[in-house]
Amino acid sequence: MYIHAAMATTAARRRIIRQLIQEHRPARQSELVALLAEVGHEVTQATVSRDLDALGAAKARDDDGGHYTLPRPTGTGGPAEIVAEFVHQISASGNLVVLRTPPGAAHMVAGALDRSAFEGILGTVAGDDTVLVVTPAGGDAAAVARRLETMGVSS
């Protein structure tokens, strides 16, 4: 599932690029531009180039000439780096925020958020690939989701 363009931020777009690289193994930036357009994100090749650089993507050589790959997750760093590295999708509803991660990464993300002084988070519950973030009743979970979206993102 991809984030709709109306909710797009740099962080959201980069999460989608990570997912597209893993699912489609694009060989050229123009392929990523086209794939992003298919999910409602109209961007230029220059934007994709900056995003690939920020994500640490590189070309892996293979029999077909090569494709983009991402560095292996390390799980090191503070909460911002961990959220940026492992959270693929962020959704808000009521006083809850749901974070989707790769299998096995939810506990690392939840722990990082629990140890942080992130304003507006009462606590987290982690499964295998999902973190439930609880915000105060009557709070603005959408605002917490927006702040989480921008964690660890360089412009």
Side-chain angles (χ1 to χ4, degrees):
M1 178 174 181
Y2 301 104
I3 298 168
H4 188 272
M7 297 180 65
T9 64
T10 299
R13 185 181 64 249
R14 289 178 182 169
R15 284 183 199 5
I16 292 168
I17 289 172
R18 280 189 193 103
Q19 194 172 357
L20 291 171
I21 287 172
Q22 292 168 348
E23 292 175 6
H24 298 280
R25 298 172 47 121
R28 292 177 304 282
Q29 291 178 4
S30 59
E31 288 179 56
L32 274 171
V33 169
L35 288 167
L36 284 164
E38 287 177 18
V39 296
H41 293 269
E42 299 291 331
V43 297
T44 65
Q45 180 272 330
T47 297
V48 168
S49 179
R50 284 189 299 274
D51 288 343
L52 289 171
D53 185 51
L55 293 170
K59 274 279 192 94
R61 300 288 172 210
D62 59 21
D63 293 337
D64 296 328
H67 61 277
Y68 282 101
T69 63
L70 296 168
R72 293 187 55 104
T74 62
T76 60
E81 291 81 12
I82 289 173
V83 168
E85 187 170 355
F86 290 103
V87 176
H88 295 160
Q89 182 183 357
I90 299 173
S91 305
S93 178
N95 73 317
L96 304 174
V97 179
V98 176
L99 309 177
R100 300 287 184 179
T101 71
H107 286 275
M108 184 176 3
V109 172
L113 290 174
D114 286 339
R115 288 186 302 274
S116 75
F118 197 93
E119 185 179 335
I121 294 180
L122 294 177
T124 63
V125 179
D128 182 52
D129 63 356
T130 305
V131 177
L132 181 65
V133 178
V134 181
T135 66
D140 189 0
V144 170
R146 285 190 297 272
R147 288 194 352 256
L148 286 167
E149 269 294 346
T150 61
M151 287 183 78
V153 177
S154 58
S155 300

